[in-house]
Amino acid sequence: MIIKELRELTVPLRGNISNALVNFSEHTVSLVAVVTDVVRNGKPVTGIAFDSIGRYAQGGLLRERFFPRLLAARPESLLDASGRRFDPAKVHACAMRNEKPGGHGDRAAAVGALELAFWDLNAKLDDEPAFQTISRAHGVSRLRDDVDVYAAGGYYYPGDPCAILRDELLRYRDMGFSAFKMKIGGADLATDVARVEAALEVAGDGSRLAVDANGRFSVDEAAAYGKAMAQYGLRWFEEACDPLDFDANRRFIEGYPGAVATGENLFSAADVRNLLRFGGMRADRDIFQMDAGLSYGLTEYGRILAEMDAHGYRRAQLYPHGGHLINLHIAVGLQLGGCEAYPGVFQPFGGYCDDCVAGDGRIAPSSAPGFGLERKPELREAIGQLLA
Protein backbone atom coordinates (compact mmCIF):
# COMPACT_ATOMS: atom_id res chain seq x y z
CA MET A 1 0.00 0.00 0.00
CA ILE A 2 1.38 3.37 -0.97
CA ILE A 3 0.42 7.04 -0.91
CA LYS A 4 -0.47 8.03 -4.46
CA GLU A 5 -1.09 11.69 -3.74
CA LEU A 6 -1.46 14.24 -0.93
CA ARG A 7 -3.82 17.18 -1.45
CA GLU A 8 -4.84 20.33 0.39
CA LEU A 9 -7.75 22.69 -0.24
CA THR A 10 -8.03 26.02 1.56
CA VAL A 11 -11.68 26.51 2.50
CA PRO A 12 -13.07 29.82 3.86
CA LEU A 13 -15.40 29.85 6.83
CA ARG A 14 -18.86 31.21 6.14
CA GLY A 15 -20.43 34.06 8.04
CA ASN A 16 -19.35 37.21 9.83
CA ILE A 17 -19.17 36.57 13.57
CA SER A 18 -16.96 37.95 16.32
CA ASN A 19 -15.88 37.03 19.81
CA ALA A 20 -14.11 39.37 22.24
CA LEU A 21 -10.93 39.46 20.14
CA VAL A 22 -11.42 37.93 16.68
CA ASN A 23 -13.66 38.41 13.67
CA PHE A 24 -13.83 35.10 11.81
CA SER A 25 -14.90 36.39 8.39
CA GLU A 26 -11.34 36.04 7.02
CA HIS A 27 -10.56 32.67 8.59
CA THR A 28 -9.81 29.60 6.50
CA VAL A 29 -9.31 25.87 7.13
CA SER A 30 -7.05 23.31 5.41
CA LEU A 31 -8.96 20.30 4.13
CA VAL A 32 -6.48 17.46 3.48
CA ALA A 33 -6.71 14.23 1.47
CA VAL A 34 -4.45 11.15 1.48
CA VAL A 35 -5.06 9.21 -1.74
CA THR A 36 -3.85 5.58 -1.78
CA ASP A 37 -3.43 2.86 -4.40
CA VAL A 38 -6.13 0.75 -2.71
CA VAL A 39 -9.23 0.74 -4.94
CA ARG A 40 -12.74 -0.08 -3.78
CA ASN A 41 -15.91 0.35 -5.80
CA GLY A 42 -13.79 1.79 -8.59
CA LYS A 43 -12.34 4.61 -6.46
CA PRO A 44 -9.10 4.94 -4.48
CA VAL A 45 -9.53 4.70 -0.72
CA THR A 46 -8.84 8.22 0.53
CA GLY A 47 -8.42 9.65 4.02
CA ILE A 48 -9.87 13.12 4.59
CA ALA A 49 -9.47 15.44 7.57
CA PHE A 50 -8.92 19.05 8.60
CA ASP A 51 -7.16 20.67 11.53
CA SER A 52 -9.87 22.55 13.43
CA ILE A 53 -11.79 25.82 13.55
CA GLY A 54 -10.54 29.23 14.63
CA ARG A 55 -7.11 29.43 13.01
CA TYR A 56 -6.01 29.78 9.39
CA ALA A 57 -5.23 27.24 6.65
CA GLN A 58 -1.69 25.86 6.40
CA GLY A 59 -1.50 25.01 2.69
CA GLY A 60 1.98 26.48 2.28
CA LEU A 61 3.45 24.51 5.17
CA LEU A 62 1.82 21.31 3.99
CA ARG A 63 2.96 21.58 0.38
CA GLU A 64 6.44 22.93 1.09
CA ARG A 65 7.48 20.76 4.07
CA PHE A 66 5.17 18.03 5.21
CA PHE A 67 3.80 16.52 1.99
CA PRO A 68 7.29 16.16 0.42
CA ARG A 69 8.65 14.37 3.49
CA LEU A 70 5.93 11.73 3.41
CA LEU A 71 6.09 11.26 -0.34
CA ALA A 72 9.87 10.80 -0.16
CA ALA A 73 9.66 8.16 2.60
CA ARG A 74 9.94 4.46 1.82
CA PRO A 75 6.29 3.31 1.66
CA GLU A 76 6.80 0.44 4.08
CA SER A 77 8.32 2.80 6.67
CA LEU A 78 4.91 4.40 7.20
CA LEU A 79 2.93 1.18 7.67
CA ASP A 80 2.04 -0.71 10.83
CA ALA A 81 3.25 -4.23 11.56
CA SER A 82 0.44 -5.81 9.52
CA GLY A 83 1.31 -3.82 6.41
CA ARG A 84 -2.43 -3.23 5.91
CA ARG A 85 -2.72 0.16 7.58
CA PHE A 86 -0.65 3.26 8.06
CA ASP A 87 0.90 3.91 11.46
CA PRO A 88 -0.04 7.49 12.46
CA ALA A 89 2.89 7.68 14.88
CA LYS A 90 5.30 6.89 12.02
CA VAL A 91 3.53 9.44 9.84
CA HIS A 92 3.93 12.01 12.62
CA ALA A 93 7.63 11.21 13.06
CA CYS A 94 8.28 11.44 9.33
CA ALA A 95 6.45 14.76 9.02
CA MET A 96 8.43 16.21 11.92
CA ARG A 97 11.86 15.23 10.62
CA ASN A 98 14.31 18.15 10.95
CA GLU A 99 11.79 20.22 12.95
CA LYS A 100 13.13 21.83 16.12
CA PRO A 101 11.18 21.41 19.37
CA GLY A 102 9.04 24.28 20.63
CA GLY A 103 7.38 26.97 18.58
CA HIS A 104 4.03 25.21 18.38
CA GLY A 105 2.11 27.50 16.02
CA ASP A 106 0.61 26.78 12.60
CA ARG A 107 3.03 23.87 12.19
CA ALA A 108 1.09 21.97 14.86
CA ALA A 109 -2.19 22.43 12.97
CA ALA A 110 -0.65 21.45 9.62
CA VAL A 111 0.71 18.18 10.99
CA GLY A 112 -2.55 17.65 12.90
CA ALA A 113 -4.67 17.84 9.75
CA LEU A 114 -2.32 15.49 7.92
CA GLU A 115 -2.04 12.92 10.70
CA LEU A 116 -5.81 12.88 11.28
CA ALA A 117 -6.37 12.12 7.58
CA PHE A 118 -4.48 8.86 8.16
CA TRP A 119 -6.84 7.98 11.02
CA ASP A 120 -9.77 8.52 8.67
CA LEU A 121 -7.99 6.40 6.06
CA ASN A 122 -7.29 3.52 8.48
CA ALA A 123 -10.91 3.47 9.59
CA LYS A 124 -12.06 3.32 5.97
CA LEU A 125 -9.61 0.50 5.25
CA ASP A 126 -11.26 -1.42 8.11
CA ASP A 127 -14.75 -0.26 7.07
CA GLU A 128 -15.58 1.11 10.50
CA PRO A 129 -16.27 4.51 12.10
CA ALA A 130 -13.15 6.31 13.28
CA PHE A 131 -14.06 6.17 16.97
CA GLN A 132 -13.73 2.38 16.85
CA THR A 133 -10.30 2.62 15.21
CA ILE A 134 -9.20 5.20 17.79
CA SER A 135 -10.42 3.11 20.75
CA ARG A 136 -8.65 -0.03 19.56
CA ALA A 137 -5.38 1.77 18.83
CA HIS A 138 -5.32 3.35 22.29
CA GLY A 139 -6.48 0.28 24.22
CA VAL A 140 -9.69 1.96 25.38
CA SER A 141 -12.74 -0.09 26.39
CA ARG A 142 -15.78 2.02 25.57
CA LEU A 143 -18.58 2.04 28.12
CA ARG A 144 -20.88 3.84 25.69
CA ASP A 145 -20.78 5.23 22.15
CA ASP A 146 -22.16 8.68 22.88
CA VAL A 147 -20.85 11.63 24.88
CA ASP A 148 -22.04 14.71 26.70
CA VAL A 149 -22.43 17.63 24.29
CA TYR A 150 -23.09 21.35 24.47
CA ALA A 151 -23.98 23.86 21.75
CA ALA A 152 -21.46 26.68 21.38
CA GLY A 153 -22.47 30.05 19.99
CA GLY A 154 -23.49 33.30 21.56
CA TYR A 155 -21.22 35.48 19.45
CA TYR A 156 -21.68 39.22 18.97
CA TYR A 157 -24.03 40.46 16.25
CA PRO A 158 -25.57 43.84 15.43
CA GLY A 159 -28.93 44.49 17.06
CA ASP A 160 -30.46 43.77 20.45
CA PRO A 161 -27.78 41.58 22.11
CA CYS A 162 -30.14 39.88 24.56
CA ALA A 163 -32.93 39.12 22.08
CA ILE A 164 -30.49 37.79 19.46
CA LEU A 165 -28.75 35.55 21.99
CA ARG A 166 -32.03 34.26 23.43
CA ASP A 167 -33.36 33.38 19.95
CA GLU A 168 -30.11 31.62 19.02
CA LEU A 169 -30.11 29.41 22.10
CA LEU A 170 -33.80 28.61 21.60
CA ARG A 171 -32.93 27.29 18.14
CA TYR A 172 -30.24 25.09 19.66
CA ARG A 173 -32.64 23.84 22.29
CA ASP A 174 -35.11 22.90 19.54
CA MET A 175 -32.31 20.86 17.92
CA GLY A 176 -32.01 18.77 21.08
CA PHE A 177 -29.23 20.55 22.97
CA SER A 178 -29.69 21.21 26.67
CA ALA A 179 -26.35 22.87 27.51
CA PHE A 180 -24.81 25.93 25.88
CA LYS A 181 -21.75 28.17 25.71
CA MET A 182 -21.71 31.89 24.94
CA LYS A 183 -19.10 34.61 24.47
CA ILE A 184 -18.31 37.39 26.90
CA GLY A 185 -15.76 40.20 26.90
CA GLY A 186 -16.81 41.77 23.62
CA ALA A 187 -19.08 44.28 25.34
CA ASP A 188 -19.02 46.11 28.67
CA LEU A 189 -19.62 44.14 31.85
CA ALA A 190 -23.18 45.39 32.35
CA THR A 191 -24.17 44.32 28.84
CA ASP A 192 -22.56 40.92 29.26
CA VAL A 193 -24.32 40.37 32.58
CA ALA A 194 -27.62 41.13 30.85
CA ARG A 195 -26.70 38.70 28.05
CA VAL A 196 -25.88 35.97 30.57
CA GLU A 197 -29.23 36.46 32.28
CA ALA A 198 -30.99 36.28 28.91
CA ALA A 199 -29.17 33.03 28.13
CA LEU A 200 -30.16 31.61 31.49
CA GLU A 201 -33.80 32.14 30.57
CA VAL A 202 -33.25 29.45 27.94
CA ALA A 203 -30.70 27.24 29.72
CA GLY A 204 -32.80 27.26 32.88
CA ASP A 205 -29.85 26.80 35.22
CA GLY A 206 -26.26 27.99 35.45
CA SER A 207 -24.98 24.41 35.32
CA ARG A 208 -26.13 24.31 31.68
CA LEU A 209 -24.40 27.53 30.59
CA ALA A 210 -20.68 28.22 30.11
CA VAL A 211 -19.07 31.55 29.24
CA ASP A 212 -15.93 32.11 27.15
CA ALA A 213 -13.75 35.26 27.19
CA ASN A 214 -11.22 33.94 24.62
CA GLY A 215 -8.29 35.22 26.70
CA ARG A 216 -9.54 38.79 26.48
CA PHE A 217 -9.00 40.04 30.05
CA SER A 218 -6.19 41.34 32.18
CA VAL A 219 -5.99 39.81 35.64
CA ASP A 220 -7.94 42.73 37.12
CA GLU A 221 -10.63 42.63 34.40
CA ALA A 222 -10.94 38.87 34.83
CA ALA A 223 -11.41 39.29 38.57
CA ALA A 224 -14.24 41.81 38.02
CA TYR A 225 -15.97 39.48 35.57
CA GLY A 226 -15.39 36.50 37.85
CA LYS A 227 -17.05 38.34 40.75
CA ALA A 228 -20.05 39.20 38.57
CA MET A 229 -20.38 35.65 37.18
CA ALA A 230 -19.88 33.72 40.42
CA GLN A 231 -23.51 34.26 41.48
CA TYR A 232 -24.86 32.23 38.55
CA GLY A 233 -23.19 28.87 39.28
CA LEU A 234 -22.05 28.55 35.66
CA ARG A 235 -20.90 25.34 34.07
CA TRP A 236 -17.49 26.92 33.55
CA PHE A 237 -15.68 30.20 32.84
CA GLU A 238 -13.41 29.70 29.83
CA GLU A 239 -10.10 31.41 29.04
CA ALA A 240 -10.36 34.49 31.23
CA CYS A 241 -6.76 35.58 30.50
CA ASP A 242 -4.08 34.94 27.90
CA PRO A 243 -3.91 31.14 27.48
CA LEU A 244 -0.12 31.04 27.83
CA ASP A 245 -0.05 33.17 30.97
CA PHE A 246 -0.32 30.32 33.44
CA ASP A 247 0.26 32.59 36.43
CA ALA A 248 -2.69 34.77 35.38
CA ASN A 249 -4.82 31.64 35.10
CA ARG A 250 -3.76 30.60 38.59
CA ARG A 251 -4.52 34.04 40.03
CA PHE A 252 -7.96 34.07 38.40
CA ILE A 253 -8.75 30.62 39.77
CA GLU A 254 -7.76 31.69 43.28
CA GLY A 255 -10.55 34.27 43.25
CA TYR A 256 -13.19 32.35 41.29
CA PRO A 257 -14.94 29.45 43.05
CA GLY A 258 -16.58 27.90 39.98
CA ALA A 259 -15.07 25.67 37.32
CA VAL A 260 -12.74 27.16 34.74
CA ALA A 261 -11.80 25.82 31.31
CA THR A 262 -8.73 26.33 29.14
CA GLY A 263 -6.35 24.48 26.83
CA GLU A 264 -7.63 24.99 23.29
CA ASN A 265 -4.61 27.19 22.51
CA LEU A 266 -2.03 24.75 23.90
CA PHE A 267 -0.57 22.67 21.09
CA SER A 268 1.82 20.22 22.77
CA ALA A 269 2.24 17.91 25.73
CA ALA A 270 5.00 20.20 27.06
CA ASP A 271 2.61 23.17 27.10
CA VAL A 272 -0.02 21.12 28.90
CA ARG A 273 2.58 19.94 31.41
CA ASN A 274 3.35 23.57 32.25
CA LEU A 275 -0.36 24.37 32.61
CA LEU A 276 -0.73 21.48 35.05
CA ARG A 277 2.34 22.53 37.02
CA PHE A 278 1.81 26.27 37.15
CA GLY A 279 -1.75 27.15 36.09
CA GLY A 280 -3.60 26.36 39.32
CA MET A 281 -6.00 23.89 37.68
CA ARG A 282 -8.11 21.81 40.08
CA ALA A 283 -8.68 18.09 39.66
CA ASP A 284 -12.13 18.21 41.22
CA ARG A 285 -13.81 20.66 38.83
CA ASP A 286 -11.84 22.26 35.99
CA ILE A 287 -12.07 21.49 32.26
CA PHE A 288 -9.38 21.00 29.60
CA GLN A 289 -10.05 21.72 25.92
CA MET A 290 -6.93 20.66 24.04
CA ASP A 291 -7.70 19.94 20.41
CA ALA A 292 -5.87 17.13 18.55
CA GLY A 293 -6.32 18.91 15.22
CA LEU A 294 -4.36 21.89 16.51
CA SER A 295 -1.84 19.72 18.39
CA TYR A 296 -0.06 17.60 15.77
CA GLY A 297 -2.86 15.01 15.75
CA LEU A 298 -3.69 12.04 17.95
CA THR A 299 -0.07 11.00 18.42
CA GLU A 300 0.70 14.14 20.42
CA TYR A 301 -2.78 14.06 21.96
CA GLY A 302 -1.94 10.66 23.43
CA ARG A 303 1.08 12.26 25.10
CA ILE A 304 -1.19 15.00 26.43
CA LEU A 305 -3.46 12.36 27.97
CA ALA A 306 -0.43 10.74 29.59
CA GLU A 307 0.46 14.09 31.18
CA MET A 308 -3.10 14.44 32.48
CA ASP A 309 -2.98 10.95 33.98
CA ALA A 310 0.42 11.55 35.57
CA HIS A 311 -0.83 14.71 37.28
CA GLY A 312 -3.99 13.12 38.67
CA TYR A 313 -6.62 14.46 36.26
CA ARG A 314 -9.45 12.42 34.77
CA ARG A 315 -10.47 11.96 31.14
CA ALA A 316 -13.92 13.14 32.15
CA GLN A 317 -12.37 16.62 32.45
CA LEU A 318 -11.47 16.73 28.75
CA TYR A 319 -13.85 18.48 26.33
CA PRO A 320 -12.00 19.05 23.03
CA HIS A 321 -12.46 22.44 21.40
CA GLY A 322 -13.71 22.64 17.84
CA GLY A 323 -17.35 21.62 17.64
CA HIS A 324 -16.97 19.26 14.66
CA LEU A 325 -17.20 15.62 13.60
CA ILE A 326 -13.54 14.75 14.05
CA ASN A 327 -13.52 15.74 17.71
CA LEU A 328 -16.80 13.93 18.28
CA HIS A 329 -15.12 10.68 17.17
CA ILE A 330 -12.08 11.45 19.32
CA ALA A 331 -14.20 12.15 22.39
CA VAL A 332 -16.12 8.87 21.96
CA GLY A 333 -13.08 6.83 20.97
CA LEU A 334 -11.01 7.96 23.95
CA GLN A 335 -13.99 8.13 26.34
CA LEU A 336 -13.47 11.80 27.18
CA GLY A 337 -15.88 13.91 29.18
CA GLY A 338 -17.67 15.26 26.12
CA CYS A 339 -17.41 17.61 23.21
CA GLU A 340 -18.62 20.88 21.87
CA ALA A 341 -20.88 21.41 18.85
CA TYR A 342 -21.23 24.37 16.50
CA PRO A 343 -24.74 23.75 15.16
CA GLY A 344 -25.22 27.29 13.86
CA VAL A 345 -21.79 28.75 13.08
CA PHE A 346 -18.43 28.03 11.39
CA GLN A 347 -19.82 26.29 8.34
CA PRO A 348 -18.98 24.21 6.41
CA PHE A 349 -16.98 22.54 9.20
CA GLY A 350 -18.98 23.28 12.36
CA GLY A 351 -21.54 20.84 13.68
CA TYR A 352 -22.23 17.27 12.74
CA CYS A 353 -23.90 15.27 9.98
CA ASP A 354 -27.65 14.75 9.85
CA ASP A 355 -27.53 11.27 11.40
CA CYS A 356 -25.78 12.56 14.55
CA VAL A 357 -28.84 13.63 16.49
CA ALA A 358 -28.57 15.27 19.91
CA GLY A 359 -30.87 14.16 22.68
CA ASP A 360 -30.86 14.17 26.49
CA GLY A 361 -27.67 16.23 26.38
CA ARG A 362 -25.67 13.56 24.55
CA ILE A 363 -24.67 12.76 20.98
CA ALA A 364 -23.18 9.80 19.09
CA PRO A 365 -21.28 9.65 15.80
CA SER A 366 -22.80 7.95 12.80
CA SER A 367 -21.74 4.45 11.70
CA ALA A 368 -20.21 5.79 8.45
CA PRO A 369 -16.62 4.63 7.85
CA GLY A 370 -13.95 7.09 8.97
CA PHE A 371 -14.93 10.45 10.42
CA GLY A 372 -17.97 10.59 8.16
CA LEU A 373 -17.10 14.00 6.73
CA GLU A 374 -18.59 12.97 3.40
CA ARG A 375 -21.97 12.63 5.14
CA LYS A 376 -22.01 16.29 6.19
CA PRO A 377 -24.05 18.18 3.57
CA GLU A 378 -22.22 21.48 4.03
CA LEU A 379 -18.86 19.80 3.29
CA ARG A 380 -19.82 17.96 0.11
CA GLU A 381 -18.88 20.79 -2.24
CA ALA A 382 -15.45 21.30 -0.68
CA ILE A 383 -14.70 17.57 -0.59
CA GLY A 384 -15.78 17.34 -4.22
CA GLN A 385 -13.30 20.09 -5.14
CA LEU A 386 -10.54 18.43 -3.10
CA LEU A 387 -10.99 15.09 -4.85
CA ALA A 388 -11.71 16.39 -8.36
Side-chain angles (χ1 to χ4, degrees):
M1 181 168 57
I2 64 171
I3 301 169
K4 295 283 286 184
E5 192 176 357
L6 295 169
R7 300 181 182 182
E8 185 271 347
L9 178 70
T10 295
V11 182
L13 293 179
R14 299 175 193 159
N16 183 14
I17 58 174
S18 298
N19 62 29
L21 287 175
V22 175
N23 181 283
F24 294 93
S25 61
E26 298 178 0
H27 278 214
T28 54
V29 175
S30 279
L31 188 63
V32 172
V34 179
V35 184
T36 71
D37 64 339
V38 179
V39 176
R40 292 181 183 169
N41 300 317
K43 296 181 180 179
V45 180
T46 300
I48 301 173
F50 54 89
D51 48 7
S52 195
I53 295 166
R55 295 275 159 176
Y56 287 91
Q58 300 87 36
L61 290 174
L62 287 161
R63 283 186 287 273
E64 293 171 13
R65 285 181 12 216
F66 302 118
F67 286 178
R69 289 173 191 165
L70 292 186
L71 293 172
R74 291 181 295 106
E76 62 273 17
S77 72
L78 301 176
L79 301 178
D80 67 7
S82 74
R84 294 183 53 254
R85 305 173 196 85
F86 286 90
D87 185 330
K90 292 179 179 178
V91 169
H92 175 274
C94 179
M96 290 296 290
R97 181 178 56 82
N98 279 339
E99 298 284 333
K100 294 178 69 175
H104 308 293
D106 282 353
R107 176 182 74 179
V111 175
L114 181 56
E115 194 244 33
L116 288 170
F118 282 90
W119 286 96
D120 182 69
L121 174 61
N122 282 345
K124 288 172 176 173
L125 289 168
D126 285 335
D127 195 28
E128 65 183 9
F131 72 85
Q132 294 182 7
T133 307
I134 292 167
S135 292
R136 186 170 58 252
H138 289 85
V140 173
S141 297
R142 295 190 312 279
L143 297 178
R144 53 191 304 169
D145 289 345
D146 62 358
V147 290
D148 183 59
V149 66
Y150 65 93
Y155 288 82
Y156 290 94
Y157 302 95
D160 183 332
C162 294
I164 291 171
L165 177 60
R166 192 183 300 109
D167 290 345
E168 180 185 2
L169 298 193
L170 283 170
R171 290 195 301 272
Y172 297 159
R173 192 176 69 182
D174 290 343
M175 294 177 187
F177 295 97
S178 58
F180 314 92
K181 186 174 79 176
M182 58 173 284
K183 301 298 181 180
I184 58 172
D188 60 82
L189 178 55
T191 299
D192 275 340
V193 166
R195 292 174 67 247
V196 167
E197 292 181 349
L200 287 170
E201 293 176 18
V202 180
D205 186 84
S207 64
R208 293 196 288 272
L209 180 68
V211 297
D212 182 3
N214 291 105
R216 163 70 176 79
F217 300 131
S218 68
V219 172
D220 289 342
E221 290 170 330
Y225 261 79
K227 183 178 180 180
M229 297 295 152
Q231 62 183 307
Y232 300 115
L234 298 174
R235 193 175 194 191
W236 65 69
F237 191 130
E238 185 171 328
E239 284 199 323
C241 303
D242 187 291
L244 291 178
D245 190 339
F246 301 136
D247 185 64
N249 192 72
R250 177 189 60 78
R251 291 165 66 187
F252 174 68
I253 285 174
E254 287 176 350
Y256 183 72
V260 304
T262 190
E264 71 178 69
N265 291 300
L266 305 183
F267 303 153
S268 72
D271 287 332
V272 172
R273 185 184 311 126
N274 282 331
L275 172 65
L276 300 175
R277 287 174 173 171
F278 308 118
M281 301 294 280
R282 299 158 296 188
D284 66 335
R285 73 194 78 172
D286 293 329
I287 300 298
F288 297 83
Q289 298 167 311
M290 290 75 75
D291 184 338
L294 299 177
S295 307
Y296 298 99
L298 276 167
T299 299
E300 185 72 8
Y301 199 78
R303 296 167 185 156
I304 289 171
L305 289 180
E307 289 290 343
M308 297 281 295
D309 291 341
H311 285 81
Y313 292 87
R314 297 164 290 115
R315 291 194 178 194
Q317 293 176 260
L318 281 146
Y319 277 71
H321 153 270
H324 52 69
L325 274 168
I326 294 176
N327 276 343
L328 173 59
H329 280 268
I330 290 171
V332 172
L334 296 177
Q335 294 289 273
L336 307 181
C339 61
E340 131 179 275
Y342 286 132
V345 291
F346 295 131
Q347 295 305 325
F349 298 95
Y352 307 134
C353 52
D354 293 342
D355 43 2
C356 300
V357 179
D360 297 324
R362 302 186 69 84
I363 198 161
S366 76
S367 59
F371 292 124
L373 300 181
E374 297 89 342
R375 299 280 285 272
K376 191 173 189 301
E378 297 87 350
L379 269 174
R380 285 173 186 157
E381 180 180 354
I383 291 175
Q385 292 178 35
L386 179 69
L387 301 183

